[in-house]
Amino acid sequence: MLTLVKNVQLFTPEPRGLCHLLIAAHRIAAVIDATEAFHLGSLINTVDLEGRRVIPGLVDPLVHYIGGGGEGGFGNRTAELSLEEASASGVTTLVGALGTDAITRTPANLIGKARELAAGGLTTYAYTGSYQLPPVTLTGTVASDILYIPEFIGVGEVAISDHRGSQPSTHELTRLAADARTAGLLAGKSGIVFIHTGDADTHLEPLRSVAKQSAIPLKQFYPTHINRTPELFEDGLRFAREGGLIDFTTSSTPELLAGGEVPASEAVARALSAGIDPARISLSSDANASLPQFDEHHRFVGLKPGRLRSLFEVLGECINEHQINVESALRCAATSAANTLKLPHKGRLGTGSDADFIVLAEGSWAIDQVWALGKSIYAAP
């Protein structure tokens, strides 16, 4: 059975105007201009969206499927991501990670949760490893995890410039990146090293040291939390100009913002105004992670959980509050991450792409429907 989704105001992310989407199995078989005459016969399911806006499903490169936290003790562990929350978020492709706690949470737990969410219709991947080095793995090494486990597409989130990390040396980071890069080449995956960046004043210098002292390029690293502090944000812009990739975190709290965190939508607007190519900018939710607060002596004060829905909300702020054009904003919220992670069927809507898309409510920035792999997985009540 084919599905024809008719009369959509399509953003691919480029604006295409009024179109029809022909879906075969889980992919888009054709994008048809609404002015073209066509005939498909009777063996087809038709859905008429009556001119509503359709955008690509969002791609989130950092989600803590099985929760995070624990910095303040077991009573501060955050909950797992539920399928219901994920399906309603507008994020259709998710990459899971461990964080600070790779002792009571394991790569096996992570893969099990990824497969649970995938059984519910989403596309899920994961990083092997965690904050600390040597990395925790499922098969014994980072390289074999990436090579043999379908969901593992890289390693992360490895902590630098953070008191909770293992303070890796340049040699350790170089060896890790080399192992991930080679395994990625062998497996046809990105082999990316996803980096948690803390608020220490070394910022992104550990990654520059690797690039200066080895053949590993800056773009092998994918650092996140670049909007954590004003100083890190400025260093992130320099990193992007040097050829690197930067990721802004959409989940936040009033306490973090009061402490100097740059709001994610503002960070995108400022980066674009500074001439940074949208292809070097992405957004991630850090969903279900702990967003901890520490005092000036690095003593734990409290935490709140990250939210998957924040990615869609920040995308709306980029468009509606900062007047970023829809195409550039969507590249930051979907296409850039898909390209960086070597997921060519994701983050875009065109012939051969996976049929992952959001139907926006008429007249407002709200989700009306979410489709993933050619099927509707959420409809607003």
Side-chain angles (χ1 to χ4, degrees):
M1 177 70 73
L2 301 174
T3 299
L4 181 68
V5 181
K6 296 176 59 178
N7 299 318
V8 305
Q9 287 290 342
L10 183 64
F11 295 86
T12 67
E14 298 87 352
R16 286 286 303 272
L18 194 65
C19 297
H20 310 312
L21 300 179
L22 180 63
I23 299 172
H26 66 280
R27 287 194 173 160
I28 295 174
V31 177
I32 305 166
D33 190 287
T35 62
E36 294 181 13
F38 65 96
H39 179 70
L40 295 172
S42 59
L43 293 178
I44 187 165
N45 176 43
T46 301
V47 177
D48 192 342
L49 293 182
E50 301 177 337
R52 275 174 286 180
R53 295 166 294 171
V54 167
I55 62 175
L58 307 186
V59 179
D60 194 333
L62 180 59
V63 180
H64 292 273
Y65 298 150
I66 54 177
E71 288 95 336
F74 288 106
N76 290 285
R77 289 161 58 92
T78 61
E80 290 191 0
L81 176 66
S82 72
L83 177 61
E84 292 74 20
E85 180 183 359
S87 299
S89 70
V91 178
T92 53
T93 301
L94 307 82
V95 187
L98 299 177
T100 315
D101 179 10
I103 302 171
T104 69
R105 306 175 198 270
T106 69
N109 300 150
L110 190 66
I111 292 299
K113 186 66 180 185
R115 293 180 180 179
E116 174 194 327
L117 295 170
L122 299 167
T123 300
T124 57
Y125 299 95
Y127 304 114
T128 186
S130 66
Y131 271 29
Q132 294 82 24
L133 296 181
V136 294
T137 63
L138 189 60
T139 64
T141 68
V142 163
S144 58
D145 273 10
I146 295 171
L147 193 59
Y148 293 128
I149 307 300
E151 290 85 357
F152 281 137
I153 57 174
V155 58
E157 55 176 320
V158 178
I160 63 168
S161 301
D162 194 297
H163 65 97
R164 294 167 293 171
S166 53
Q167 316 310 312
S169 67
T170 299
H171 174 75
E172 288 174 313
L173 282 174
T174 303
R175 182 62 180 270
L176 179 70
D179 287 348
R181 181 178 177 85
T182 301
L185 292 171
L186 294 173
K189 300 177 180 179
S190 70
I192 204 77
V193 183
F194 198 83
I195 295 290
H196 163 99
T197 316
D199 58 5
D201 58 12
T202 47
H203 303 318
L204 297 168
E205 282 304 309
L207 308 185
R208 293 188 179 95
S209 295
V210 172
K212 289 174 183 176
Q213 298 179 33
S214 74
I216 301 296
L218 279 182
K219 64 181 181 181
Q220 194 65 38
F221 297 104
Y222 193 180
T224 190
H225 311 320
I226 301 301
N227 53 323
R228 180 183 297 277
T229 68
E231 296 79 14
L232 178 56
F233 173 77
E234 292 299 331
D235 194 45
L237 297 188
R238 182 162 69 95
F239 188 81
R241 293 188 188 101
E242 293 166 346
L245 310 161
I246 54 175
D247 182 75
F248 300 131
T249 303
T250 58
S251 291
S252 189
T253 66
E255 293 80 9
L256 291 174
L257 293 171
E261 182 178 273
V262 181
S265 58
E266 178 185 327
V268 172
R270 289 171 57 184
L272 293 176
S273 295
I276 305 301
D277 188 336
R280 299 196 179 279
I281 304 168
S282 69
L283 295 167
S284 63
S285 69
D286 207 10
N288 292 68
S290 65
L291 305 179
Q293 183 181 3
F294 297 93
D295 65 18
E296 65 275 15
H297 302 294
H298 296 298
R299 292 178 299 207
F300 177 79
V301 176
L303 63 78
K304 295 178 181 177
R307 298 182 305 111
L308 191 62
R309 182 72 173 226
S310 66
L311 184 52
F312 176 78
E313 294 168 354
V314 166
L315 173 60
E317 292 172 7
C318 288
I319 296 167
N320 299 315
E321 297 179 19
H322 294 279
Q323 287 75 56
I324 297 170
N325 68 68
V326 175
E327 179 180 341
S328 294
L330 283 171
R331 291 190 183 282
C332 296
T335 318
S336 295
N339 290 344
T340 298
L341 298 172
K342 292 190 176 180
L343 306 176
H345 302 298
K346 301 296 185 181
R348 53 184 53 79
L349 294 172
T351 302
S353 301
D354 285 347
D356 300 340
F357 55 88
I358 302 168
V359 181
L360 297 175
E362 188 172 358
S364 67
W365 187 259
I367 295 174
D368 186 55
Q369 298 177 33
V370 178
W371 288 59
L373 299 175
K375 296 181 180 179
S376 177
I377 62 169
Y378 171 77

